[in-house]
Amino acid sequence: MAFVFITSTGPDVAEREVDRRRIRRHAMRGVAMARRARGDYGQHNRRQLPLFLGPTTQKENTPPPHVDPVHMVPPSLPAQGYELAKLTYRFDILSLSALASVHLSRSSARTLAPCPASMQKLAEMRQPSWLDFVPARYSESRLLQAAVDCTLARAHRSLHPHSDISETTAIRLYLKALSELQEALDDKLEGRWASPDVLCATKILTFYEFLQCSQSQWLHHITGTQKLMRLRGPDNYSTDLEQQILMSQTGTIFHESMSIGEDCFLEEPKWKTLLSSIAAVESLSCHPVVSSLWIYVSPTARLFRQTGVCINGAGDPGTILHLILEAYQTRQNLLTWRENFTRFAAEQPDRHAPRLREFLGVSFAVQIMLNRLIVALEPRAEDARTFENEAQTFADRVIVLCDEADKEALPASCMLLAEKIVIAKATKWTRDDWMAVSGTDSTCRRMPAAVFEKWSISLRRRDVD
């Protein structure tokens, strides 16, 4: 084989097309000669076939006349684990990721409604969430399998009411999941109740009940999940799955505490430390700016409960003064947070707009609550009327945020603000009552219990129709 020298003006590229063509031919000459020697020159690359299908002799290389060469390629392996479940129930659990960090309630359920079109839109809004861990863990836990299977069946029926997956099948799978969950929760000896899969499965079952909202009593698993998360204690959130579930449910924990009139356990020092320690800038739900919001607002549930007790005559002047000072401090923390959040939100991509709108709505709604608690504890204060006017302004701003979400026509966008709009409308509806008893010219030395109770009822704190 003779060497061919070609002059080039560059380090890698010949000057003329004819020279480049000569280089390519020279480079492939040895390969072509080897292929001709083997007798497979010009054939497809058969090295991609399994060895037992590869040719060994020319005679073996020719398939029988009744066999199509395409059938020589082995079929794909049968689906297993989560892939099989996804094919069986024709739905992907990841399509529910938009629900993974939403406070599921009657208010949010009304925005979705039992409508296949709304459900389809929701399924298309995929986003990173703790659900990303589920497919890999599916085959490792019978409980997780049962919870996922019944939820996939229910979600498919929500999209296709006349599907061949019957209502009986969905209910049977749900009952199986409940049985598996009860067995795990009763396992005190091995401590299965505190395992990540139990927490994950319980949360997934809230999706089942949410999608069945027109038929069920209501979301029993929301309360159960909240109690389980607290019972596990802050020391039992060491895995990424556990931490992401916790951070995705901080809003639900706070709203439920307000709804049932209980203190929010997130304000306890160990839980505050946990929230701060797992904050991660790469995840919006776990970002320090977001986790600090729930740390700041968490005392509001307790302040609301204690203020109600004082309004009904059970509070001494020292207790009332302490509550007023604490409400002022919480309000100031929230004002400082919103200044930082405004700068943070301006740097975020457009895809985060619905969640950013939610966090801003939370800050407005909580400030409404704090302003009214301060007025309720000291209705004749010099700035009481100013605080009530400010509460009305924030109610208007929440309504504007909801209008923006409506224009997006996305179910999840509206669900994120479902609880906030209830607070805003209750504040607007009771405006005249509060203005009448607020300010230095008020004849009321103490907030009338009837005025406070009317507002409390209008907040739908029990979340019942």
Side-chain angles (χ1 to χ4, degrees):
M1 181 183 298
F3 289 99
V4 179
F5 294 92
I6 299 174
T7 302
S8 173
T9 56
D12 299 310
V13 181
E15 185 173 304
R16 296 181 301 165
E17 175 62 27
V18 64
D19 291 333
R20 290 198 295 270
R21 190 158 52 246
R22 292 173 65 189
I23 291 174
R24 289 196 297 270
R25 287 178 178 175
H26 183 74
M28 291 298 297
R29 184 177 302 166
V31 176
M33 292 176 63
R35 287 182 177 177
R36 286 192 178 95
R38 292 195 305 267
D40 61 355
Y41 181 81
Q43 300 297 316
H44 293 293
N45 183 4
R46 299 194 177 192
R47 293 184 181 181
Q48 295 177 351
L49 291 177
L51 292 178
F52 62 85
L53 290 178
T56 55
T57 66
Q58 185 64 29
K59 183 177 180 180
E60 293 173 344
N61 189 33
T62 305
H66 61 279
V67 177
D68 191 332
V70 72
H71 294 147
M72 296 178 65
V73 180
S76 300
L77 294 175
Q80 297 179 347
Y82 176 72
E83 289 301 317
L84 179 59
K86 189 167 63 172
L87 291 174
T88 301
Y89 303 109
R90 302 190 289 284
F91 193 82
D92 188 352
I93 195 69
L94 301 183
S95 295
L96 297 178
S97 59
L99 295 178
S101 57
V102 174
H103 178 210
L104 302 179
S105 65
R106 286 194 184 275
S107 297
S108 56
R110 292 189 190 100
T111 66
L112 181 61
C115 173
S118 297
M119 182 62 196
Q120 183 62 49
K121 287 183 179 179
L122 187 72
E124 294 170 355
M125 296 181 60
R126 292 197 182 189
Q127 56 191 30
S129 72
W130 57 267
L131 280 173
D132 295 333
F133 292 90
V134 172
R137 303 176 71 94
Y138 175 87
S139 299
E140 301 175 2
S141 168
R142 290 185 310 167
L143 169 59
L144 203 55
Q145 289 179 28
V148 169
D149 287 350
C150 71
T151 304
L152 294 182
R154 174 58 60 197
H156 179 80
R157 282 194 56 77
S158 297
L159 282 170
H160 311 284
H162 305 293
S163 168
D164 57 340
I165 299 178
S166 65
E167 181 68 17
T168 301
T169 298
I171 294 176
R172 175 177 55 79
L173 292 169
Y174 178 58
L175 293 177
K176 178 183 178 181
L178 290 180
S179 176
E180 293 284 353
L181 177 59
Q182 191 61 55
E183 179 182 337
L185 292 174
D186 290 340
D187 187 358
K188 303 295 192 299
L189 184 61
E190 296 185 7
R192 283 184 61 202
W193 68 271
S195 71
D197 289 337
V198 172
L199 179 62
C200 185
T202 306
K203 181 56 187 167
I204 289 175
L205 288 176
T206 65
F207 298 157
Y208 178 98
E209 290 187 315
F210 180 77
L211 297 171
Q212 196 196 18
C213 61
S214 61
Q215 305 159 23
S216 66
Q217 292 293 323
W218 192 231
L219 296 171
H220 304 293
H221 287 295
I222 277 191
T223 302
T225 302
Q226 182 171 342
K227 291 181 178 179
L228 178 61
M229 294 180 78
R230 182 175 191 177
L231 186 61
R232 298 175 90 248
D235 296 331
N236 271 331
Y237 291 86
S238 57
T239 68
D240 289 340
L241 172 61
E242 294 167 306
Q243 292 178 358
Q244 288 200 29
I245 291 179
L246 173 64
M247 295 305 295
S248 71
Q249 295 306 296
T250 46
T252 297
I253 293 170
F254 172 72
H255 285 302
E256 283 299 299
S257 298
M258 293 290 299
S259 177
I260 62 180
E262 291 185 352
D263 298 356
C264 179
F265 65 84
L266 296 178
E267 75 163 317
E268 297 172 11
K270 287 187 177 181
W271 286 100
K272 286 184 176 181
T273 300
L274 174 63
L275 293 183
S276 299
S277 67
I278 64 179
V281 295
E282 63 271 11
S283 171
L284 183 61
S285 296
C286 299
H287 195 282
V289 171
V290 176
S291 59
S292 63
L293 169 64
W294 303 115
I295 292 174
Y296 288 148
V297 305
S298 57
T300 308
R302 174 178 52 80
L303 293 173
F304 191 103
R305 178 186 61 78
Q306 292 176 330
T307 299
V309 172
C310 291
I311 294 300
N312 286 299
D316 59 82
T319 299
I320 292 176
L321 177 60
H322 179 76
L323 290 176
I324 291 174
L325 293 176
E326 193 172 2
Y328 266 108
Q329 183 59 60
T330 305
R331 178 179 177 275
Q332 183 57 50
N333 292 339
L334 202 54
L335 291 172
T336 302
W337 175 87
R338 195 153 54 238
E339 292 177 1
N340 296 331
F341 176 78
T342 300
R343 293 190 293 268
F344 166 75
E347 301 171 353
Q348 301 307 306
D350 293 341
R351 69 177 183 275
H352 291 328
R355 295 305 309 278
L356 296 173
R357 192 185 297 121
E358 176 205 9
F359 300 138
L360 190 58
V362 169
S363 73
F364 291 156
V366 173
Q367 190 156 345
I368 290 172
M369 304 286 292
L370 293 170
N371 278 17
R372 283 213 160 174
L373 295 182
I374 293 172
V375 172
L377 292 168
E378 197 175 17
R380 298 186 67 186
E382 184 176 349
D383 52 2
R385 184 67 61 87
T386 300
F387 274 20
E388 176 57 25
N389 285 330
E390 186 181 73
Q392 296 298 322
T393 298
F394 282 119
D396 290 334
R397 296 184 71 173
V398 171
I399 293 172
V400 169
L401 292 177
C402 291
D403 290 340
E404 293 176 357
D406 286 336
K407 291 178 181 178
E408 290 184 353
L410 297 175
S413 296
C414 298
M415 284 192 290
L416 290 170
L417 290 168
E419 299 301 312
K420 295 76 178 175
I421 191 63
V422 171
I423 295 175
K425 290 182 176 180
T427 303
K428 302 296 290 185
W429 182 57
T430 56
R431 174 188 178 279
D432 293 342
D433 295 336
W434 284 72
M435 292 296 286
V437 298
S438 301
T440 55
D441 58 344
S442 172
T443 59
C444 298
R445 293 183 176 274
R446 181 189 293 267
M447 169 65 67
V451 173
F452 189 85
E453 185 64 20
K454 179 181 178 180
W455 176 52
S456 299
I457 293 174
S458 66
L459 292 174
R460 301 178 185 174
R461 296 182 63 221
R462 294 293 177 182
D463 199 17
V464 295
D465 292 333

